[in-house]
């Protein structure tokens, strides 16, 4: 069974930065496109960033220009670099495929507050 494990979240002040990591138990190259999702309290989970096997990226408008998704196929890891964080970025962040979803990992909490 494929396992995904997110890490790197925490409490950060507005304008700050965090780098999230997602380690997969299988080859992410074989999976294909990977994505970062987030779920804020009372909201539905949403896809915010996507990276293809070859490195092409797409972003939700809410994070475009501030977040950068990347992947290391050799290490089966997906990253999300988050800059200029805002209070509305507060959520639990998850990684998963950008296609047929796998079982969700535990996520990592990001809280942006002064």
């Amino acid at each position: 069974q494929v396992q995904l494990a997110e890490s790197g979240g925490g409490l950060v002040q507005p304008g700050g930065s965090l780098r999230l990591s997602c380690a997969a138990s299988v080859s992410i190259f074989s999976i294909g496109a990977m994505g970062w999702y987030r779920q804020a309290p009372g909201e539905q989970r949403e896809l915010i960033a996507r990276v293809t096997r070859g490195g092409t990226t797409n972003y939700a408008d809410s994070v475009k220009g501030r977040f950068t998704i990347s992947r290391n196929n050799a290490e089966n890891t997906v990253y999300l670099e988050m800059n200029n964080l805002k209070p509305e970025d507060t959520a639990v962040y998850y990684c998963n495929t950008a296609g047929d979803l796998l079982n969700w990992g535990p996520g990592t909490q990001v809280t942006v507050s002064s």
Side-chain angles (χ1 to χ4, degrees), residues 3-72:
Q3 292 185 322
L4 300 167
E6 302 89 354
S7 61
L11 172 64
V12 63
Q13 292 187 341
S17 299
L18 284 173
R19 188 191 195 208
L20 307 184
S21 300
C22 170
S25 61
V26 297
S27 166
I28 61 171
F29 184 83
S30 66
I31 291 174
M34 295 292 295
W36 278 96
Y37 299 74
R38 69 183 181 188
Q39 187 168 22
E43 303 287 335
Q44 290 195 344
R45 197 170 304 184
E46 60 171 341
L47 176 65
I48 58 168
R50 177 181 182 274
V51 59
T52 67
R53 181 183 285 119
T56 300
T57 58
N58 299 96
Y59 299 93
D61 288 343
S62 58
V63 305
K64 197 174 296 183
R66 300 186 298 121
F67 291 11
T68 302
I69 187 172
S70 61
R71 62 192 289 163
N72 184 322

